[in-house]
Amino acid sequence: MSEFSKSCKLLTKLSTDLDRLLESHSALPPLPPPSSTLTATSSPRTSDFESIRFQIEGEGGIAGKIDRYKQRLTEKDPVTCNDRYGDKMKKNVTEFIASYEAFCADLEIVFAPEGVYESLKQREKTEASNIVKSEEAKKKAKEEEEKRAKMRAEEERLASLTEQQRQEEIQAKEREELRIQAEIARKQRQERETKEREEQERKEQGKGKEWH
């Protein structure tokens, strides 16, 4: 494949790519607010447009060959003095140059100060900022949830502690009641023993009188 054929094929591809990118850009929905969940999209990137421009203006790009094609349109064969390009080739080169210039005009509009490229560049900055804000919001929400979880755990611990204290109070009260009952029983036993002893002493005293 000749160099010219390669250039034609490349320009056709770049034109198709540019049209596709511009169509995708025009169909972009508004950016969601920072608090929304961001999802990956197939939106064009500034790097896509930069790649196209590089293949036109960069080293080895089409721009570096256009002047040579234009020059050859006016050149004559030094031997035959005929045009370097035949009629068919001249027509193809002329059409190619026209397509190239139209493409460059479109590209210039894309990269204009208020053009698609700057608009997309600003959009990417906003997207990046929104992603940061979204991540910060997620982090804050996670921290809040962890804080609430700790509070719930503490409340449960305190509730458990309160229940434990209640059980301890009940057990202490039961022990106190048992102590009181035991004390009452002890006093009753002492009183009974005292009465029995006094009764025994009276009986013994009565027997002593009978002997006399």
Side-chain angles (χ1 to χ4, degrees):
M1 183 182 293
S2 67
E3 182 183 70
F4 178 71
S5 296
K6 291 179 180 178
S7 296
C8 290
K9 186 175 181 179
L10 177 59
L11 183 62
T12 299
K13 177 182 179 300
L14 294 179
S15 297
T16 301
D17 290 346
L18 183 62
D19 289 342
R20 176 179 54 80
L21 290 173
L22 292 175
E23 183 178 353
S24 298
H25 180 268
S26 64
L28 284 176
L31 282 173
S35 58
S36 300
T37 301
L38 299 177
T39 56
T41 64
S42 57
S43 61
R45 314 302 297 175
T46 52
S47 57
D48 297 328
F49 290 100
E50 290 167 357
S51 175
I52 290 176
R53 183 165 66 173
F54 178 80
Q55 292 179 77
I56 292 293
E57 302 175 358
E59 184 177 355
I62 296 176
K65 302 171 184 177
I66 285 295
D67 289 341
R68 186 163 67 252
Y69 293 143
K70 288 181 178 179
Q71 181 180 350
R72 287 179 179 176
L73 282 175
T74 61
E75 287 181 350
K76 301 288 185 179
D77 186 281
V79 178
T80 64
C81 294
N82 293 327
D83 292 339
R84 175 180 288 274
Y85 290 146
D87 292 340
K88 183 177 180 181
M89 185 62 178
K90 185 182 294 186
K91 178 176 179 294
N92 290 339
V93 171
T94 301
E95 290 177 351
F96 172 75
I97 292 173
S99 297
Y100 167 80
E101 291 175 346
F103 179 83
C104 287
D106 291 340
L107 204 60
E108 185 175 347
I109 294 173
V110 168
F111 283 93
E114 301 297 329
V116 170
Y117 178 81
E118 288 300 324
S119 171
L120 192 57
K121 189 175 182 180
Q122 184 58 43
R123 182 185 177 92
E124 289 177 356
K125 288 182 179 179
T126 303
E127 284 179 340
S129 175
N130 285 359
I131 289 174
V132 171
K133 292 178 181 178
S134 177
E135 291 300 321
E136 289 176 348
K138 289 179 182 178
K139 182 179 179 181
K140 185 176 180 180
K142 183 179 179 181
E143 290 174 350
E144 289 293 331
E145 179 58 30
E146 290 176 349
K147 183 178 179 181
R148 287 193 293 270
K150 288 181 180 179
M151 290 178 63
R152 287 194 297 269
E154 180 64 13
E155 289 173 356
E156 291 174 358
R157 188 188 71 81
L158 292 175
S160 174
L161 182 61
T162 302
E163 177 63 20
Q164 181 180 353
Q165 290 175 337
R166 190 177 72 84
Q167 292 296 331
E168 289 176 353
E169 288 178 359
I170 292 174
Q171 292 174 3
K173 186 176 181 180
E174 290 176 348
R175 287 194 298 270
E176 180 63 16
E177 289 177 352
L178 290 174
R179 187 192 67 77
I180 293 173
Q181 291 175 2
E183 181 65 19
I184 292 173
R186 185 184 66 79
K187 289 181 178 180
Q188 289 176 345
R189 186 177 66 256
Q190 287 179 343
E191 291 175 356
R192 186 172 61 254
E193 290 175 350
T194 300
K195 288 181 180 180
E196 290 176 351
R197 186 170 57 255
E198 290 175 350
E199 181 66 24
Q200 183 66 28
E201 289 176 354
R202 283 196 298 271
K203 288 181 179 181
E204 290 177 353
Q205 289 176 358
K207 288 180 179 181
K209 290 179 180 180
E210 290 177 358
W211 292 341
H212 292 291

